[in-house]
Structures are given as C-alpha cells and as structure tokens.
C-alpha cells in the first residue's frame, strides 16, 4: 500500500501536508511505498510538477527535486 508524503525542494526534507499547502511552489507531494521500485532517479519541477532534465535541475535547485521512482 502506497502513501503520499510532501517534500521541500529547498531542503529535501519531508514536510507536513499543511506546509505543502502553504508553499506549493517549493514543495512536492509524492507516493512512497509499495508500487515504486526506487531504482531510477528523476528530476521534477515543484512549480509545474513536470519532469525536467538534469541540467535544468542544476540551474534551479530551489524549485526542483530529485527523487527515486
């Protein structure tokens, strides 16, 4: 069973759901648990929620996250 968790793009740490609602541009909500292989690293924009290239993630570290899927 998978659950959701919110993560800050600035610190990389997990944050509460209320913090994620207050700061939607700098937080991302992701699925954790069964159903995810956690083998492939991807970069995602916290503003749009879309996948971005590694070079884009390096240019915008405050608004992108790297995660294992």
């Amino acid at each position: 069973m998978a659950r959701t968790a919110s993560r800050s793009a600035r610190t990389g740490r997990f944050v509460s759901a209320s913090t994620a609602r207050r700061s939607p541009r700098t937080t991302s909500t992701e699925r954790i648990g069964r159903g995810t292989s956690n083998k492939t690293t991807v970069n995602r924009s916290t503003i749009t929620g879309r996948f971005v290239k590694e070079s884009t993630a390096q240019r915008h570290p405050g608004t992108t996250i790297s995660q294992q899927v």
Side-chain angles (χ1 to χ4, degrees):
M1 178 174 202
R3 65 182 181 94
T4 59
S6 300
R7 184 185 299 269
S8 169
R10 291 187 176 144
T11 64
R13 294 183 179 201
F14 290 106
V15 296
S16 65
S18 61
T19 300
R21 282 192 299 273
R22 284 193 307 270
S23 304
R25 290 178 61 95
T26 59
T27 55
S28 173
T29 301
E30 57 194 63
R31 286 177 45 135
I32 300 174
R34 187 182 292 170
T36 59
S37 64
N38 293 327
K39 293 182 181 178
T40 305
T41 302
V42 295
N43 300 299
R44 185 183 297 271
S45 168
T46 58
I47 295 171
T48 64
R50 294 184 179 191
F51 293 107
V52 296
K53 295 180 182 178
E54 178 68 27
S55 59
T56 304
Q58 290 177 354
R59 284 193 310 271
H60 305 283
T63 57
T64 57
I65 60 167
S66 295
Q67 62 190 75
Q68 301 284 325
V69 295

